[in-house]
Amino acid sequence: MSHARPHRIDHALRRLLSLTVILLATLNAGTIRAADKPSEPLERILETARAFLTDSLNTDASVETRIEIGQLDSRLRLARCARAPSSELAPGARTGGNGTVNVRCSEPVAWSIFVPFRVERYTEVVTVARPLSRQQVIQPADVRLKRMETSQLARGYFQELAPIIGLEARRTLVPEQVLIDAHVTQRTLVERGQQVTLFSARPGLTVRMKGEALEAGTVGQRIRVRNKSSKRIVEGYVEPSGAIRTAF
């Protein structure tokens, strides 16, 4: 009786050791099988993101574009995608400045990963060359082109000088300031109360008369004018000459 207990302990220990060996063998086999599965090359993920950005930018020859794709953790292991992964911009991201591209795979195992990027675009933009006061008419010497990175610029910047000349500054502007459409407006050609010429034209006939502007107007703007002869109030469009074109 005194020797039965150690025998049972030895038998139980041998069984435990056997189970441990079997368990370790199973785990090792699973690890080997997982390691043997082909994984998605990180280079293909990064190239997918780069190709998507390149196709999405559609920049013209005047814009120099630089694309920097971020790095992925070299320890990352994703199942090999059966076909080329798809990609799209992450929600809220823009194709300028910093952002992320969502690269995805649907089969045989679905996965998704966000790839960081930075896009810089360099082009010539219109900047202020010398101080401009509010309502000052912009002359050629007041502005110039400067090559800048545009991803952080406000929307509405100009890339050519010609459309700016003759416009009127809405506010005080300082040298080196990037000019945007919110800074300028069409020059007021007609002031309220100004005596103007009204005219109506059709092939072979033009009728002119005197009038009084009832409101200020810029080129192309529709304003109300009082006909000096008939006292009628009519509407017409401000011409570059300052005359008001009305319909017959």
Side-chain angles (χ1 to χ4, degrees), residues 77-227:
R77 294 292 182 270
L78 297 171
R80 174 80 181 202
C81 204
R83 55 178 57 88
S86 61
S87 55
E88 64 180 2
L89 278 180
R94 301 184 305 164
T95 54
N98 297 321
T100 53
V101 172
N102 185 9
V103 179
R104 297 177 298 177
C105 176
S106 57
E107 57 178 316
V109 178
W111 52 258
S112 173
I113 187 170
F114 291 91
V115 178
F117 70 83
R118 176 169 178 77
V119 171
E120 295 181 348
R121 296 179 179 180
Y122 294 85
T123 189
E124 290 190 328
V125 299
V126 177
T127 61
V128 178
R130 58 187 183 183
L132 291 171
S133 58
R134 182 174 177 272
Q135 295 185 328
Q136 181 175 338
V137 177
I138 298 175
Q139 304 298 327
D142 296 326
V143 289
R144 63 187 175 192
L145 290 172
K146 183 177 181 180
R147 193 166 189 81
M148 299 184 69
E149 202 283 303
T150 62
S151 64
Q152 301 301 317
L153 295 183
R155 294 179 182 272
Y157 57 83
F158 296 92
Q159 294 180 261
E160 297 179 356
L161 294 173
I164 307 299
I165 308 306
L167 296 183
E168 189 176 276
R170 289 180 180 268
R171 47 179 282 191
T172 299
L173 301 170
V174 298
E176 301 302 321
Q177 187 170 356
V178 175
L179 204 63
I180 62 175
D181 52 13
H183 293 158
V184 294
T185 186
Q186 290 285 343
R187 180 165 59 97
T188 300
L189 282 184
V190 176
E191 299 289 349
R192 181 179 180 182
Q194 181 177 328
Q195 302 303 301
V196 296
T197 298
L198 292 169
F199 76 94
S200 298
R202 64 185 180 188
L205 178 63
T206 300
V207 177
R208 301 180 186 276
M209 60 206 79
K210 297 295 183 180
E212 178 186 351
L214 300 181
E215 52 193 331
T218 61
V219 174
Q221 187 175 356
R222 186 175 181 176
I223 64 172
R224 293 179 301 120
V225 182
R226 178 181 288 111
N227 187 316

Side-chain angles (χ1 to χ4, degrees), residues 16-38:
L16 178 60
L17 290 174
S18 298
L19 290 173
T20 302
V21 170
I22 293 172
L23 178 60
L24 289 174
T26 303
L27 290 174
N28 287 337
T31 302
I32 292 171
R33 284 195 297 270
D36 287 344
K37 287 183 178 179

Side-chain angles (χ1 to χ4, degrees), residues 26-68:
T26 303
L27 290 174
N28 287 337
T31 302
I32 292 171
R33 284 195 297 270
D36 287 344
K37 287 183 178 179
S39 60
E40 181 68 24
L42 300 186
E43 294 77 9
R44 187 162 80 149
I45 296 175
L46 297 177
E47 186 54 37
T48 297
R50 179 182 294 277
F52 169 78
L53 289 171
T54 301
D55 293 341
S56 300
L57 292 176
N58 295 324
T59 55
D60 56 45
S62 66
V63 179
E64 177 191 355
T65 303
R66 301 176 187 175
I67 301 175
E68 295 181 9

